[in-house]
Amino acid sequence: MKTYFKGFVVGMIFMAMINSFVLAGGLLETIDVLWNSVNIEILGEKIEMNNLLYNGTTYVPLREISKVFGKKVEWDKDLNAANITPVDMSIKVDVEEVSSDIIDQAKLELVGISEKLTDMQNHDEIEKILQDFKEMSKLDIEYIYFGAQDSGGMSIIPKTVLSEDYDPRQRPWYTNADNDYYIADVYTDISNGAQILSMSKPVYQKDKLVGVVGIDIKVGMK
């Protein structure tokens, strides 16, 4: 599953400071800062990153924060400017290249979790089942998730902030899992460069569709 976010603006920049000196407008000024005093979290996930706190503002390395969002920084010495540009993450791996053992194990685990989810309606219970299966899985699962047919509710582990208009019932991983397993094309996770295989399966209560469960599996690194 490729998650989508909106309204998230990164307003953090980094100034390289040595011995707490800042050069601005041709003047050298001594300032007091706090080094690595802030825990950096992005969408609920802790990020190990050097930072400094000055006058209530947290500064982080521009290159590092850009990398988190799949960007790179290029320095233009003529303009004395740092340019943030997209990283080419277009490399794709064919599903046929993924080990059949991984796919067979994923199918087996999807069957097991779909049976557990058949009678579950409570959001907390669903998240507990997803968490337990992720921890017990023999696969390297990045995300495990369930979209409910009636409500359009979305449960995902690890917990992730989705856009307010996110409706799993309109996503390919949901709509394509009509009667059997759906295996999507392998894609690259821009946050860590991992190659991800998404698979999903419909969940039925008798003959009624109650939702679709899916897993994102790490199958390699870019």
Side-chain angles (χ1 to χ4, degrees), residues 17 31-38 51-60:
M17 298 184 179
I31 64 173
D32 294 322
V33 302
L34 292 175
W35 180 253
N36 285 341
S37 63
V38 178
N51 63 85
L52 59 82
L53 182 64
Y54 173 63
N55 278 351
T57 299
T58 301
Y59 296 86
V60 298

Side-chain angles (χ1 to χ4, degrees), residues 71-72 93 123 126 128 138 148 167 202 204 208 212 222:
K71 310 294 182 181
K72 63 180 179 180
V93 175
H123 180 72
I126 292 173
K128 178 68 166 54
K138 295 181 180 180
D167 187 340
Y204 288 94
K208 180 184 177 182
V212 173
K222 179 173 180 292

Side-chain angles (χ1 to χ4, degrees), residues 6-24:
K6 69 177 183 179
F8 189 84
V9 178
V10 178
M12 298 182 290
I13 61 173
F14 178 77
M15 291 182 177
M17 298 184 179
I18 302 176
N19 297 326
S20 297
F21 287 106
V22 176
L23 185 61

Side-chain angles (χ1 to χ4, degrees), residues 74-110:
E74 297 178 340
W75 177 251
D76 189 327
K77 64 180 181 180
D78 294 329
L79 297 177
N80 195 35
N83 297 315
I84 301 176
T85 58
V87 175
D88 182 10
M89 304 296 283
S90 60
I91 296 178
K92 291 186 177 181
V93 175
D94 292 334
V95 172
E96 288 76 11
E97 298 178 28
V98 177
S99 168
S100 59
D101 291 339
I102 292 178
I103 294 178
D104 290 344
Q105 181 63 32
K107 288 182 177 180
L108 183 64
E109 294 189 13
L110 283 171

Side-chain angles (χ1 to χ4, degrees), residues 182-216:
Y182 169 65
I183 305 176
D185 291 333
V186 177
Y187 68 92
T188 302
D189 187 329
I190 63 172
S191 67
N192 56 27
Q195 298 290 332
I196 303 297
L197 173 68
S198 295
M199 292 181 60
S200 54
K201 185 183 188 306
V203 178
Y204 288 94
Q205 186 179 54
K206 295 183 179 180
D207 294 329
K208 180 184 177 182
L209 177 67
V210 296
V212 173
V213 61
I215 51 178
D216 290 356

